């Protein structure tokens, strides 16, 4: 597989984009898109990338260099080597190409945690620098996410300035020749020992699969040093951030909201990041997909162990109140809803499925729901990350034809679950499901999975 930290060459990127556009739209469509592509993609986005990242050339501290330097300074602690992960295509069915392309065997990198002294943490996204070098691990170990963080930093600097002045100030800030101004409203001192937990994607999936596993190595650091790092979390974090941290054993006293444009951290604790990102076809960044089911299982076991000990009032229902056949609804979301979902539920009801909108359940109840499930059906969406809490399950996912993504296919197969899927037309940001077709597909899938006799 391509090294996820390497940026695609311009020639390869152009070839991918031109080839995809030609296949999708034909020669006329390719020619029609040409002027917009040159203006927006080639000159606009490419130039912006160069202007923001180029000032940091030669100053990117990648994973290998961080590991080497921390080891030499005796500030590196390794986790256990994880076993290779094989994602297999399901038998008896054919999955769409974006899913099939993620099959194969992956060798998860051995996790580690490093400590760096006198670090500078910069911008809303928390870019970590040490000796004026960017610690890429603090930007998801990825040049792509570094670019996103630098965009955010530049936009904050640009406010109220001309483009020339803004870029001059930006270069001075990233070179360490100037500091970001602290608003008068900010009060308080950053913690001496801290770890960055500032996700780029405000998605429950990325938080659970990429960020919560960091806690495993932070606990290793605490065991080795006796110091418990303070977690730097987003200002006014979403309730599920605080709740999942609490269920993993990190309470409010262990967290500080990141409110500083810039700060010095005496000891920055940097756990390795487990990326789970597949680039779109027209991206000039390579895929950054490094699955590790042991991390997901650790998060699930930690959360479930604390759910079992919760007071009854902290969960609305006990496990016996849930159906073992779960339909995950998106009626509580603003995007990719299912058109005429009532008809879909009517079709699935004879197979024993009940509908649940996960935002209407507490996190403990979501854990109880999936722990009790033997079959899960639903549209592609972040709620399916709760599959990590299933003991064993048959998973049927369906997609709109303009948003076929491999994340839950890969997760289900990593965890050893049976999997099947369907693709339906998209209309006005809704998935137009054929209820009878879905019922037939799910019934056949349950039969192959050995569950139909309980329907």
């Amino acid at each position: 597989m391509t090294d996820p930290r390497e940026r695609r060459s311009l020639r390869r990127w152009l070839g991918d984009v031109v080839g995809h556009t030609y296949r999708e739209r034909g020669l006329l469509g390719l020619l029609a898109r040409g002027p917009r592509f040159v203006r927006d993609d080639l000159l606009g986005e490419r130039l912006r990338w160069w202007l923001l990242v180029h000032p940091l050339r030669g100053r990117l501290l990648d994973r290998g260099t961080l590991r080497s330097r921390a080891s030499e300074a005796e500030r590196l602690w390794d986790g256990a080597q994880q076993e290779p992960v094989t994602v297999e295509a399901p038998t008896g069915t054919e999955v769409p190409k974006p899913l099939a392309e993620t099959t194969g065997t992956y060798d998860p990198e051995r996790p580690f945690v490093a400590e760096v002294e006198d670090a500078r943490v910069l911008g809303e996204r928390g870019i970590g620098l040490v000796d004026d070098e960017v610690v890429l691990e603090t930007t998801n170990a990825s040049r792509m996410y570094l670019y996103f963080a630098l965009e955010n930093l530049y936009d904050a600097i640009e406010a109220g300035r001309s483009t020339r002045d803004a870029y001059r100030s930006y270069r001075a800030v990233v070179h360490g020749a100037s500091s970001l101004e602290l608003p008068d409203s900010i009060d308080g001192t950053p913690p001496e020992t801290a770890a960055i937990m500032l996700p780029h994607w405000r998605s429950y999936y990325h938080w659970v699969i990429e960020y919560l596993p960091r806690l495993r190595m932070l606990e290793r650091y605490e065991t080795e040093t006796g110091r418990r790092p303070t977690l730097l979390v987003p200002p006014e974090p979403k309730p599920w951030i605080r709740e999942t941290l609490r269920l993993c054993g990190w309470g409010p006293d262990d967290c500080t909201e990141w409110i500083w444009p810039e700060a010095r951290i005496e000891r920055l604790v940097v756990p390795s990041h487990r990326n789970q990102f597949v680039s779109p076809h027209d991206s000039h960044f390579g895929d950054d997909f490094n699955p590790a089911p042991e991390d997901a299982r650790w998060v699930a076991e930690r959360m479930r162990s604390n759910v079992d000990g919760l007071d009854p009032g902290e969960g609305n229902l006990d496990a016996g109140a849930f159906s073992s056949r779960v339909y995950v609804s998106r009626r509580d979301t603003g995007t990719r809803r299912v058109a005429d979902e009532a008809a879909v539920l009517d079709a699935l009801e004879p197979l024993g499925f009940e509908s649940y909108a996960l935002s209407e359940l507490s996190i403990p109840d979501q854990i109880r729901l999936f722990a009790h499930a033997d079959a899960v059906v639903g549209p592609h969406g972040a709620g399916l990350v709760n599959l990590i809490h299933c003991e064993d399950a048959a998973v049927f996912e369906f997609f709109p034809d303009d948003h076929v993504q491999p994340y839950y296919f890969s997760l289900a197969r990593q965890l050893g679950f049976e999997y099947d899927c369907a693709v339906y037309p998209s209309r006005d940001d809704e998935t137009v499901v054929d209820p009878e077709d879905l019922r037939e597909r799910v019934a056949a899938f349950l039969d192959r999975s050995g569950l139909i006799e309980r329907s």
Side-chain angles (χ1 to χ4, degrees):
M1 297 183 65
T2 303
D3 185 340
R5 294 181 295 275
E6 289 300 322
R7 182 165 159 261
R8 294 184 185 180
S9 68
L10 177 61
R11 180 179 298 177
R12 179 184 173 190
W13 175 65
L14 285 172
D16 286 349
V17 174
V18 171
H20 180 86
T21 304
Y22 178 78
R23 290 190 297 271
E24 292 289 313
R25 305 186 184 188
L27 179 60
L28 292 178
L30 176 63
L31 294 174
R33 188 172 182 264
R36 179 173 175 269
F37 166 77
V38 171
R39 182 188 71 247
D40 296 343
D41 298 307
L42 187 57
L43 296 181
E45 195 265 352
R46 272 271 166 171
L47 178 60
R48 186 174 175 86
W49 188 96
W50 188 89
L51 288 171
L52 295 180
V53 177
H54 187 68
L56 292 167
R57 66 191 184 281
R59 297 170 51 206
L60 302 183
L61 190 61
D62 64 15
R63 178 174 291 172
T65 307
L66 172 64
R67 175 189 280 276
S68 176
R69 291 185 185 176
S71 179
E72 291 175 2
E74 298 185 346
R75 291 191 175 90
L76 178 82
W77 299 271
D78 280 307
Q81 180 63 56
Q82 302 196 20
E83 295 296 322
V85 180
T86 299
V87 177
E88 296 181 333
T91 57
T93 187
E94 184 175 348
V95 296
K97 184 178 178 181
L99 278 58
E101 288 177 342
T102 63
T103 59
T105 298
Y106 298 76
D107 289 311
E109 293 190 45
R110 187 175 185 178
F112 68 88
V113 59
E115 180 190 84
V116 296
E117 291 186 311
D118 191 26
R120 182 183 181 214
V121 180
L122 186 62
E124 181 183 344
R125 301 298 186 197
I127 305 168
L129 299 98
V130 57
D131 295 331
D132 292 328
E133 292 182 302
V134 173
V135 182
L136 274 179
E137 214 66 36
T138 64
T139 62
N140 293 28
S142 165
R143 287 174 170 83
M144 177 181 68
Y145 287 99
L146 171 62
Y147 169 57
F148 293 157
L150 292 175
E151 275 194 308
N152 181 273
L153 176 65
Y154 175 79
D155 289 344
I157 293 173
E158 185 183 33
R161 289 186 171 99
S162 68
T163 300
R164 175 178 294 183
D165 288 344
Y167 189 64
R168 185 182 295 116
S169 296
Y170 167 81
R171 289 178 62 92
V173 167
V174 298
H175 280 301
S178 178
S179 299
L180 294 174
E181 295 182 5
L182 295 177
D184 294 337
S185 59
I186 291 182
D187 188 20
T189 303
E192 293 182 357
T193 303
I196 297 171
M197 294 284 279
L198 301 171
H200 173 78
W201 304 113
R202 303 303 167 92
S203 159
Y204 191 59
Y205 166 80
H206 287 284
W207 175 254
V208 170
I209 293 297
E210 296 186 18
Y211 283 82
L212 292 183
R214 292 181 174 190
L215 301 177
R216 190 179 191 184
M217 293 311 302
L218 294 180
E219 292 182 3
R220 172 68 190 279
Y221 171 83
E222 182 181 12
T223 298
E224 294 291 338
T225 66
R227 294 187 290 269
R228 188 171 179 85
T230 299
L231 306 181
L232 302 178
V233 299
E236 300 180 0
K238 292 183 179 295
W240 46 261
I241 288 181
R242 291 228 184 256
E243 180 67 355
T244 53
L245 288 174
R246 185 176 72 87
L247 289 173
C248 285
W250 294 70
D253 292 342
D254 299 315
C255 304
T256 291
E257 295 182 22
W258 175 248
I259 57 175
W260 298 273
E262 177 179 346
R264 288 279 178 178
I265 303 295
E266 182 177 326
R267 288 181 291 266
L268 183 64
V269 185
V270 185
S272 53
H273 186 83
R274 184 71 67 197
N275 271 4
Q276 299 279 321
F277 184 82
V278 178
S279 296
H281 69 85
D282 57 353
S283 172
H284 59 282
F285 294 97
D287 290 349
D288 198 355
F289 198 60
N290 189 21
E294 291 181 30
D295 287 346
R297 292 190 184 100
W298 180 87
V299 170
E301 289 170 3
R302 176 60 63 86
M303 294 177 73
R304 287 182 61 181
S305 68
N306 286 319
V307 164
D308 292 340
L310 290 175
D311 294 333
E314 297 197 52
N316 300 323
L317 301 168
D318 60 33
F322 296 120
S323 171
S324 63
R325 301 283 173 87
V326 175
Y327 174 83
V328 181
S329 174
R330 288 186 63 82
R331 66 176 182 267
D332 55 340
T333 69
T335 60
R336 301 196 310 277
R337 300 180 109 182
V338 177
D340 197 9
E341 190 172 60
V344 171
L345 297 176
D346 287 343
L348 294 176
E349 186 177 9
L351 298 174
F353 286 90
E354 293 186 18
S355 174
Y356 299 91
L358 299 185
S359 68
E360 299 172 3
L361 299 177
S362 66
I363 298 294
D365 278 343
Q366 291 181 42
I367 294 171
R368 294 186 179 104
L369 171 67
F370 280 82
H372 187 59
D374 63 13
V376 177
V377 173
H380 176 80
L384 290 179
V385 76
N386 282 297
L387 292 172
I388 67 172
H389 301 298
C390 294
E391 294 290 343
D392 189 19
V395 181
F396 192 100
E397 180 181 15
F398 58 87
F399 305 91
D401 57 11
D402 60 353
H403 195 78
V404 180
Q405 300 284 353
Y407 299 108
Y408 305 110
F409 158 71
S410 179
L411 181 60
R413 298 303 284 163
Q414 289 174 56
L415 297 174
F417 301 161
E418 296 296 328
Y419 179 93
D420 200 356
C421 64
V423 180
Y424 293 105
S426 177
R427 182 188 65 209
D428 298 330
D429 200 31
E430 288 189 326
T431 307
V432 184
V433 177
D434 180 334
E436 185 59 25
D437 176 78
L438 180 62
R439 187 199 67 78
E440 291 178 359
R441 287 173 179 265
V442 171
F445 174 56
L446 294 177
D447 189 22
R448 293 196 305 272
S449 303
L451 298 174
I452 196 66
E453 66 272 14
R454 284 184 266 163
S455 300

